[in-house]
Amino acid sequence: MKIFDFWREHRDAYARDGWVHIRNGVSPEFLSIAREAAARIAARQPLQGSGIKGAKEQFLFEFPESVDYGCQLFDPLARLAGLDRTSMTLSERHVKMYETDADPRPNAHKDRFSSAIAVGISVEVPPDSHLILYPHNDRFVNPFLSTGLRDSLEPDQLPENTLQDAVEVEIHDAAGDVVVFPGSSMWHLRRNAAGTVNIYLKFNDFDSDPLGEDPSTQERRRVTLSTLQGSPDSMMTAIPTLSRRFDSVDRHHRRDMWQQSLSAIVWGQPPVPISDAEFALLRSLNGEEPYLSVVTSPVHGLKADLAAQAIQRLSARGVLDLR
């Protein structure tokens, strides 16, 4: 089954404009499947959590078992948006159903950090519902994996102030259309959204999947835990890398004499205390060096036995994966 049909002119348009609207960008077969899925899941409990909110209900979209993620999803989008195919990750796959009382003129927003590329598939679009993009203004990248961007901004930094004189790009989409844009760096919104149904797929090429929605993320975690419990030989050839659900390293200064501490933050888990040397170890990982090379490297300053213990501990706690 074909999902997308992207031609060269769309790739050139994306490179030129930083976004693209592709009329009838999905196959009729996939649009039919998407409509059936939307109708079927409407009765389910919508997604919830600290990273899910807004005037719409969101549901996890399940692709048909026959879909080849590599050939039918990753390959065409990597070519279209210029993503590194080797580290490309599907960080969200949601059906979004706008409620009947959705604000017709909402404030603009940016997607989470891991949503470097947003791919919107229009499933049902009532008259007057349309997408607004701001491709030329205030293009900083949202640094958060959560929805905390707006709360972090000063009043004069809010989009309703910074975008007052900005040029709006209006996209009047229809069922079967595809819109692709940099979700984490481009302010966007949907006007007159009530009753609209979209499938939004979010991608990046830096291995970030905080919600664990890429089908390969769970398998990667399984392999990590299996390697930790397996033979020493399998550990020696494993490649330590930041886990897909890794968020950040936070440095805290407590109010009692400003004592410092470091913590590795993994999405949805308690903070994992780390030392400065372990932080240096994390920063040294490039996703290519095997375990034995990493633990004996002089870059992080840890002795080999301590580096080995750190990698095993941080892998068990979800900070690292072993590939």
Short mmCIF file of all heavy atoms in Angstrom, two decimals, residues 59-85:
data_model
loop_
_atom_site.label_atom_id
_atom_site.label_comp_id
_atom_site.label_asym_id
_atom_site.label_seq_id
_atom_site.Cartn_x
_atom_site.Cartn_y
_atom_site.Cartn_z
N PHE A 59 -5.44 10.84 19.74
CA PHE A 59 -5.42 9.39 19.84
C PHE A 59 -4.20 8.87 19.09
O PHE A 59 -3.78 9.45 18.09
CB PHE A 59 -6.68 8.78 19.23
CG PHE A 59 -7.97 9.30 19.80
CD1 PHE A 59 -8.52 10.49 19.33
CD2 PHE A 59 -8.63 8.61 20.81
CE1 PHE A 59 -9.71 10.98 19.86
CE2 PHE A 59 -9.82 9.09 21.33
CZ PHE A 59 -10.36 10.28 20.86
N LEU A 60 -3.66 7.77 19.56
CA LEU A 60 -2.53 7.15 18.89
C LEU A 60 -3.01 6.52 17.58
O LEU A 60 -3.97 5.75 17.58
CB LEU A 60 -1.90 6.09 19.79
CG LEU A 60 -0.56 5.52 19.32
CD1 LEU A 60 0.52 6.59 19.36
CD2 LEU A 60 -0.16 4.34 20.20
N PHE A 61 -2.33 6.86 16.48
CA PHE A 61 -2.70 6.27 15.19
C PHE A 61 -1.90 4.99 14.97
O PHE A 61 -0.67 4.99 15.05
CB PHE A 61 -2.41 7.25 14.05
CG PHE A 61 -2.74 6.69 12.70
CD1 PHE A 61 -4.06 6.50 12.32
CD2 PHE A 61 -1.74 6.32 11.81
CE1 PHE A 61 -4.37 5.95 11.08
CE2 PHE A 61 -2.04 5.78 10.57
CZ PHE A 61 -3.36 5.60 10.21
N GLU A 62 -2.62 3.92 14.68
CA GLU A 62 -1.98 2.63 14.42
C GLU A 62 -1.96 2.40 12.91
O GLU A 62 -3.01 2.30 12.27
CB GLU A 62 -2.74 1.50 15.12
CG GLU A 62 -2.80 1.62 16.63
CD GLU A 62 -1.47 1.32 17.31
OE1 GLU A 62 -0.51 0.97 16.59
OE2 GLU A 62 -1.41 1.42 18.54
N PHE A 63 -0.77 2.31 12.34
CA PHE A 63 -0.66 2.00 10.92
C PHE A 63 -1.06 0.55 10.67
O PHE A 63 -0.90 -0.31 11.54
CB PHE A 63 0.78 2.21 10.45
CG PHE A 63 1.15 3.66 10.26
CD1 PHE A 63 1.74 4.38 11.29
CD2 PHE A 63 0.90 4.30 9.05
CE1 PHE A 63 2.08 5.70 11.13
CE2 PHE A 63 1.24 5.63 8.88
CZ PHE A 63 1.84 6.34 9.92
N PRO A 64 -1.59 0.25 9.49
CA PRO A 64 -1.87 -1.15 9.16
C PRO A 64 -0.61 -1.99 9.24
O PRO A 64 0.50 -1.50 8.99
CB PRO A 64 -2.39 -1.06 7.72
CG PRO A 64 -2.87 0.35 7.56
CD PRO A 64 -1.99 1.18 8.43
N GLU A 65 -0.76 -3.25 9.59
CA GLU A 65 0.39 -4.14 9.73
C GLU A 65 1.17 -4.28 8.43
O GLU A 65 2.37 -4.57 8.44
CB GLU A 65 -0.07 -5.52 10.21
CG GLU A 65 -0.59 -5.53 11.64
CD GLU A 65 -0.94 -6.92 12.12
OE1 GLU A 65 -0.76 -7.87 11.32
OE2 GLU A 65 -1.40 -7.06 13.27
N SER A 66 0.51 -4.05 7.31
CA SER A 66 1.17 -4.22 6.01
C SER A 66 2.11 -3.07 5.66
O SER A 66 2.88 -3.16 4.70
CB SER A 66 0.12 -4.35 4.90
OG SER A 66 -0.69 -3.18 4.84
N VAL A 67 2.08 -1.99 6.44
CA VAL A 67 2.90 -0.82 6.12
C VAL A 67 4.37 -1.12 6.38
O VAL A 67 4.74 -1.61 7.44
CB VAL A 67 2.45 0.40 6.94
CG1 VAL A 67 3.50 1.51 6.89
CG2 VAL A 67 1.13 0.92 6.41
N ASP A 68 5.20 -0.81 5.42
CA ASP A 68 6.65 -0.86 5.56
C ASP A 68 7.11 0.54 5.94
O ASP A 68 7.15 1.44 5.09
CB ASP A 68 7.29 -1.31 4.25
CG ASP A 68 8.80 -1.46 4.33
OD1 ASP A 68 9.44 -0.67 5.06
OD2 ASP A 68 9.35 -2.36 3.68
N TYR A 69 7.43 0.73 7.22
CA TYR A 69 7.76 2.07 7.71
C TYR A 69 8.93 2.68 6.95
O TYR A 69 8.94 3.89 6.66
CB TYR A 69 8.08 2.03 9.20
CG TYR A 69 6.88 1.89 10.09
CD1 TYR A 69 6.33 0.64 10.37
CD2 TYR A 69 6.28 3.01 10.66
CE1 TYR A 69 5.22 0.50 11.18
CE2 TYR A 69 5.17 2.89 11.47
CZ TYR A 69 4.64 1.64 11.73
OH TYR A 69 3.54 1.51 12.53
N GLY A 70 9.92 1.86 6.63
CA GLY A 70 11.10 2.38 5.95
C GLY A 70 10.79 2.88 4.56
O GLY A 70 11.03 4.05 4.22
N CYS A 71 10.22 2.02 3.73
CA CYS A 71 9.99 2.35 2.32
C CYS A 71 8.82 3.31 2.12
O CYS A 71 8.87 4.19 1.26
CB CYS A 71 9.75 1.08 1.51
SG CYS A 71 11.18 -0.03 1.41
N GLN A 72 7.76 3.14 2.89
CA GLN A 72 6.54 3.87 2.63
C GLN A 72 6.38 5.14 3.46
O GLN A 72 5.54 5.98 3.13
CB GLN A 72 5.33 2.94 2.87
CG GLN A 72 5.33 1.73 1.95
CD GLN A 72 4.26 0.72 2.32
OE1 GLN A 72 3.64 0.80 3.38
NE2 GLN A 72 4.03 -0.25 1.45
N LEU A 73 7.17 5.28 4.51
CA LEU A 73 7.01 6.43 5.39
C LEU A 73 8.31 7.22 5.51
O LEU A 73 8.39 8.40 5.15
CB LEU A 73 6.54 5.95 6.77
CG LEU A 73 5.99 7.01 7.73
CD1 LEU A 73 4.71 7.60 7.19
CD2 LEU A 73 5.74 6.39 9.11
N PHE A 74 9.37 6.57 5.98
CA PHE A 74 10.62 7.27 6.26
C PHE A 74 11.32 7.73 4.98
O PHE A 74 11.80 8.85 4.91
CB PHE A 74 11.55 6.38 7.08
CG PHE A 74 11.17 6.29 8.54
CD1 PHE A 74 9.87 6.03 8.95
CD2 PHE A 74 12.12 6.47 9.52
CE1 PHE A 74 9.53 5.94 10.28
CE2 PHE A 74 11.80 6.38 10.87
CZ PHE A 74 10.50 6.12 11.25
N ASP A 75 11.42 6.85 4.00
CA ASP A 75 12.19 7.18 2.80
C ASP A 75 11.64 8.41 2.07
O ASP A 75 12.40 9.35 1.76
CB ASP A 75 12.26 5.99 1.85
CG ASP A 75 13.19 4.90 2.36
OD1 ASP A 75 13.97 5.16 3.30
OD2 ASP A 75 13.15 3.78 1.82
N PRO A 76 10.33 8.47 1.74
CA PRO A 76 9.84 9.64 1.02
C PRO A 76 9.93 10.93 1.82
O PRO A 76 10.23 11.98 1.26
CB PRO A 76 8.38 9.28 0.69
CG PRO A 76 8.02 8.19 1.65
CD PRO A 76 9.28 7.44 1.91
N LEU A 77 9.73 10.85 3.13
CA LEU A 77 9.79 12.07 3.95
C LEU A 77 11.23 12.52 4.16
O LEU A 77 11.50 13.73 4.23
CB LEU A 77 9.09 11.84 5.28
CG LEU A 77 7.56 11.70 5.16
CD1 LEU A 77 6.95 11.25 6.47
CD2 LEU A 77 6.94 13.01 4.72
N ALA A 78 12.16 11.59 4.25
CA ALA A 78 13.57 11.97 4.35
C ALA A 78 14.01 12.70 3.09
O ALA A 78 14.72 13.72 3.15
CB ALA A 78 14.44 10.74 4.58
N ARG A 79 13.59 12.21 1.93
CA ARG A 79 13.94 12.87 0.67
C ARG A 79 13.28 14.24 0.56
O ARG A 79 13.89 15.21 0.13
CB ARG A 79 13.52 11.99 -0.51
CG ARG A 79 14.38 10.74 -0.68
CD ARG A 79 14.12 10.09 -2.03
NE ARG A 79 12.76 9.58 -2.12
CZ ARG A 79 12.42 8.32 -1.85
NH1 ARG A 79 13.35 7.47 -1.44
NH2 ARG A 79 11.17 7.91 -1.97
N LEU A 80 12.02 14.31 0.97
CA LEU A 80 11.29 15.58 0.87
C LEU A 80 11.90 16.67 1.74
O LEU A 80 12.12 17.79 1.30
CB LEU A 80 9.82 15.36 1.27
CG LEU A 80 8.96 16.62 1.31
CD1 LEU A 80 8.67 17.11 -0.11
CD2 LEU A 80 7.67 16.37 2.07
N ALA A 81 12.17 16.33 3.01
CA ALA A 81 12.59 17.34 3.99
C ALA A 81 14.09 17.39 4.22
O ALA A 81 14.56 18.19 5.03
CB ALA A 81 11.86 17.10 5.32
N GLY A 82 14.85 16.52 3.54
CA GLY A 82 16.29 16.54 3.71
C GLY A 82 16.77 16.01 5.04
O GLY A 82 17.77 16.48 5.58
N LEU A 83 16.07 15.02 5.60
CA LEU A 83 16.45 14.45 6.89
C LEU A 83 17.50 13.35 6.71
O LEU A 83 17.55 12.70 5.66
CB LEU A 83 15.23 13.86 7.60
CG LEU A 83 14.11 14.82 7.97
CD1 LEU A 83 12.98 14.07 8.66
CD2 LEU A 83 14.61 15.95 8.87
N ASP A 84 18.33 13.16 7.74
CA ASP A 84 19.31 12.07 7.75
C ASP A 84 18.55 10.78 7.99
O ASP A 84 18.04 10.52 9.08
CB ASP A 84 20.33 12.32 8.86
CG ASP A 84 21.42 11.25 8.91
OD1 ASP A 84 21.28 10.20 8.23
OD2 ASP A 84 22.41 11.45 9.62
N ARG A 85 18.48 9.95 6.97
CA ARG A 85 17.66 8.73 7.05
C ARG A 85 18.17 7.77 8.12
O ARG A 85 17.37 7.04 8.72
CB ARG A 85 17.66 8.06 5.67
CG ARG A 85 16.88 6.76 5.60
CD ARG A 85 15.40 6.98 5.85
NE ARG A 85 14.71 5.72 5.77
CZ ARG A 85 14.61 4.84 6.77
NH1 ARG A 85 15.19 5.10 7.95
NH2 ARG A 85 13.96 3.71 6.61
#
